[in-house]
């Protein structure tokens, strides 16, 4: 066996299948048994090591190995196999391996959960510790990796600096109050101040802290010196949403750009997503083809009215090639007021200027009216965060949301309020405590500049690219109300 070969010179299944110069050579492969078929003369083992969707076929002569070993080679068992790579005699694969030596690394008893048949996603969610060994989750997490890597590449190429913003913070960046508290105080008997309130002066940080809901505010500080920055980190929201689009712990990418106005911000957001989609179409062809077929099968099982007209690959190509639609919030409300579902009273939530767009409204705009991704801008100030730049009309702010088919909001962003007095006024009106954010205000006092940024929900992007219907299936270990098992 090749254990003394330098680590990166040891071929894996992907290399064995793709590198024709290895044919005729003896090498060692390691992996997990996906299937085993046997008769008196020959044993076929399909081995997968995660490097690729494909398995390699191992052909073994049962008379050359001990029976006990073969009995223990069951689905899920892990093996190291030394053998010669040869052109395959069967159809279905170009090369296969003739096993000379087989070492059983780990047995897999009969009650192994991941049997070679179709398991439901719900079942696999309960086996999240094992689901990496399925074709679907292998493909999803290889694509997730490719997207994460492409995010860094994109920003690096365009002169952005990766800034690490804190996970523990003392502020509520979104002003929505949906935060997980961080404390070392004993919660059965916390210290109290003179008025009987919990005395956070005695807590670890000497003040109340929480897990961050966004790295934006600190990101802005970075942009006010580095120019172009982005964050890419975990984000926490204690909102009690049991939907297919929400997680309590998700990853967000937040670029922040000095000297960008709202138009520049939209240009970046669109170029960014389209580049990422183009990248996976180029680099993840095998996994995407698998997920495309999977999505088509799922789509065919839906009632006719709910079926999507485009396949997964078609949707990705469409996004890669077509410009997004752009409308203001006010125009979007006009469109909705004139829509058939509104006139026929089919929307659950009423439409009126000033409402927060509900997911049924976003879906109508994207899937029915424009039939492409849409950027909605200039929302009413009362439904948006305090830091967004106030427009001259006195009613709206320079906000932008990017809405995607099947997903809804994938990006939320804005031009920031860079005028000290306006920002302070807005904070007061919205009861944002100044003493918590004095440092944020100071950037508007000393050398303030127009600037903008946005947040892309990474899991929502992975959902769009993989076609997975539930956000819990695109993050390795999802966190949601009553869900923190693994
Ligand atoms: O619209 P949001 O709340 O914006 C912000 O947090 C800003 N600070 C971003 C910025 O301007 N730098 O969140 C941004 C995106 C949403 O569009 C959505 O894609 C995702 O984050 N998101 C979630 N994803 C999964 N689960 C949740 N609970 C999410 N909440 C937001
Ligand atoms: Mg938002």
């Amino acid at each position: 066996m090749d254990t003394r070969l330098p680590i990166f010179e040891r071929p894996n299944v992907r290399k064995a299948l793709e590198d024709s110069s290895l044919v005729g050579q003896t090498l060692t492969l390691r992996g997990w048994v996906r299937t085993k078929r046997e008769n008196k003369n020959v044993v076929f083992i399909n081995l997968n090591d995660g490097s690729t969707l494909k398995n390699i076929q191992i052909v073994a002569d049962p008379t050359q190995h001990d029976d006990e070993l073969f009995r223990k080679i069951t689905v899920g068992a892990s093996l190291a196999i030394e053998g010669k790579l040869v052109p395959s005699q069967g159809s279905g694969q170009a090369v296969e391996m003739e096993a000379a030596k087989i070492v059983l690394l780990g047995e897999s008893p009969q009650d192994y959960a991941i049997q070679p048949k179709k398991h439901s996603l719900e079942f696999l969610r309960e086996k999240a510790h094992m689901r990496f060994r399925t074709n679907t989750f292998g493909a999803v997490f290889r694509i997730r990796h490719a997207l994460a890597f492409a995010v860094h590449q994109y920003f690096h190429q365009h002169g952005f600096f990766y800034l690490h913003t804190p996970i523990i913070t003392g502020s509520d960046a979104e002003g929505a109050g949906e935060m997980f508290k961080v404390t070392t105080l004993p919660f059965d008997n916390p210290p109290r101040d003179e008025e009987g309130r919990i005395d956070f002066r005695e807590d670890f940080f000497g003040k109340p802290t929480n897990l961050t809901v966004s790295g934006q505010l600190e990101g802005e500080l970075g942009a006010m010196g580095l120019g172009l920055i982005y964050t890419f980190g975990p984000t926490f929201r204690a909102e009690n949403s049991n939907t297919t689009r929400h997680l309590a712990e998700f990853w967000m990418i937040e670029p922040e750009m000095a000297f960008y106005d709202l138009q520049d911000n939209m240009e970046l957001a669109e170029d960014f997503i389209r580049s990422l989609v183009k990248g996976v179409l180029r680099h993840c062809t095998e996994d995407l083809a698998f997920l495309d077929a999977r999505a088509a099968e799922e789509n065919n099982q839906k009632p006719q009215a709910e079926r999507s007209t485009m396949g997964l690959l078609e949707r990705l190509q469409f996004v890669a090639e077509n410009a997004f639609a752009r409308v203001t919030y006010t125009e979007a409300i006009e469109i909705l007021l004139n829509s058939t579902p509104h006139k026929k009273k089919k929307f659950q939530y009423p439409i009126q200027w000033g409402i927060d767009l509900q997911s049924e409204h976003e879906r109508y705009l994207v899937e029915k009216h424009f039939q492409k991704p849409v950027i909605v801008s200039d929302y009413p100030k009362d439904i948006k965060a305090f830091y967004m730049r106030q427009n001259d009309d006195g009613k709206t702010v320079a906000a932008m949301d990017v809405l995607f088919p099947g997903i809804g909001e994938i990006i939320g962003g804005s031009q920031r309020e860079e005028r000290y007095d306006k920002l302070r006024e807005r904070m007061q009106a919205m009861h944002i405590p100044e003493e918590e954010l004095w440092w944020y205000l100071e950037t508007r006092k000393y050398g303030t500049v127009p600037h903008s940024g946005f947040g892309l929900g990474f899991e929502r992007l992975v959902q769009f690219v993989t076609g997975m219907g539930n956000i819990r299936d695109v993050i390795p270990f999802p966190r949601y109300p009553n869900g923190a098992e693994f």
Side-chain angles (χ1 to χ4, degrees), residues 174 237 362 384 387-388 400-401 409 411-413 455 460:
E174 290 304 299
R237 300 213 178 158
E362 295 178 343
K384 289 291 182 187
Y387 52 70
M388 297 192 179
M400 59 162 220
D401 278 4
E409 182 192 332
I411 280 182
R460 293 194 187 173

Side-chain angles (χ1 to χ4, degrees), residues 1-12:
M1 300 262 167
D2 70 354
T3 31
R4 293 279 67 84
L5 267 184
I7 48 174
F8 298 127
E9 286 174 26
R10 297 174 203 166
N12 56 20

Side-chain angles (χ1 to χ4, degrees), residues 23-316:
V23 177
Q25 295 197 26
T26 292
L27 40 108
T28 303
L29 293 174
R30 298 169 185 79
W32 294 268
V33 175
R34 284 291 180 85
T35 59
K36 186 178 81 167
R37 285 182 296 129
E38 60 196 316
N39 58 39
K40 275 204 303 293
N41 309 316
V42 62
V43 178
F44 294 105
I45 297 163
N46 266 320
L47 196 76
N48 188 286
D49 69 356
S51 59
T52 166
L53 183 73
K54 292 200 187 89
N55 305 322
I56 190 162
Q57 175 159 287
I58 311 288
V59 186
D61 176 351
T63 61
Q64 302 288 307
H65 306 269
D66 96 58
D67 291 350
E68 179 67 1
L69 173 74
F70 276 109
R71 224 178 22 79
K72 289 181 177 165
I73 298 179
T74 54
V75 172
S78 45
L79 306 175
I81 302 168
E82 188 181 89
K84 197 161 134 189
L85 209 59
V86 296
S88 178
Q89 292 172 18
S91 58
Q93 63 274 320
V95 293
E96 60 192 19
M97 181 186 252
E98 286 174 358
K101 260 187 249 167
I102 302 179
V103 176
L104 180 69
L105 300 173
E107 293 179 35
S108 179
Q110 293 302 319
D111 57 350
Y112 175 57
I114 315 292
Q115 292 298 323
K117 60 169 191 172
K118 199 171 162 66
H119 294 292
S120 76
L121 295 173
E122 290 77 15
F123 172 82
L124 291 172
R125 227 168 277 146
E126 287 169 10
K127 307 278 178 215
H129 58 310
M130 295 275 172
R131 64 180 180 172
F132 304 102
R133 301 187 196 179
T134 64
N135 285 337
T136 299
F137 287 95
V140 166
F141 292 121
R142 278 186 296 271
I143 290 173
R144 184 179 165 111
H145 160 78
L147 282 168
F149 189 73
V151 165
H152 290 297
Q153 217 167 17
Y154 179 89
F155 285 123
H156 177 73
Q157 274 166 3
H158 292 95
F160 286 66
F161 302 107
Y162 181 25
L163 193 77
H164 296 92
T165 49
I167 289 170
I168 301 174
T169 74
S171 57
D172 176 3
E174 290 304 299
E178 293 159 331
M179 300 177 299
F180 291 101
K181 293 185 177 64
V182 174
T183 179
T184 53
L185 293 179
F187 52 78
D188 48 352
N189 184 25
R192 304 269 174 190
D193 65 12
E194 303 74 41
E195 273 115 76
R197 289 174 308 209
I198 294 177
D199 190 355
F200 285 100
R201 286 171 303 185
E202 290 193 34
D203 203 350
F204 190 93
F205 297 105
K207 59 183 279 192
T209 51
N210 52 272
L211 294 178
T212 187
V213 296
S214 157
Q216 177 195 324
L217 301 191
E218 290 90 352
E220 284 187 50
L221 310 183
M224 290 303 102
L226 290 161
L228 304 176
I229 66 95
Y230 69 105
T231 73
F232 187 174
T235 312
F236 307 87
R237 300 213 178 158
E239 50 194 341
N240 197 7
S241 328
N242 256 309
T243 79
T244 56
R245 307 276 174 263
H246 289 86
L247 289 164
E249 177 179 303
F250 64 99
W251 288 66
M252 188 157 42
I253 297 146
E254 296 183 274
E256 194 66 38
M257 298 75 67
F259 318 114
Y260 273 42
D261 65 13
L262 188 65
Q263 293 303 317
D264 300 328
N265 205 20
M266 293 195 227
E267 191 178 321
L268 179 72
E270 180 169 343
D271 185 66
F272 176 49
I273 303 201
R274 287 176 54 197
S275 299
L276 293 175
V277 171
K278 279 183 204 157
V280 286
L281 281 170
R282 248 195 326 268
H283 299 297
C284 304
T285 41
E286 185 177 271
D287 287 323
L288 280 179
F290 171 81
L291 291 171
D292 182 57
R294 191 186 173 283
E297 201 180 296
E298 225 165 54
N299 198 37
N300 284 336
Q301 281 160 12
K302 285 187 188 160
Q304 192 74 39
E306 286 170 35
R307 283 186 205 169
S308 52
T309 48
M310 278 193 215
L312 175 64
L313 282 172
E314 279 174 297
R315 262 196 317 270
L316 296 179

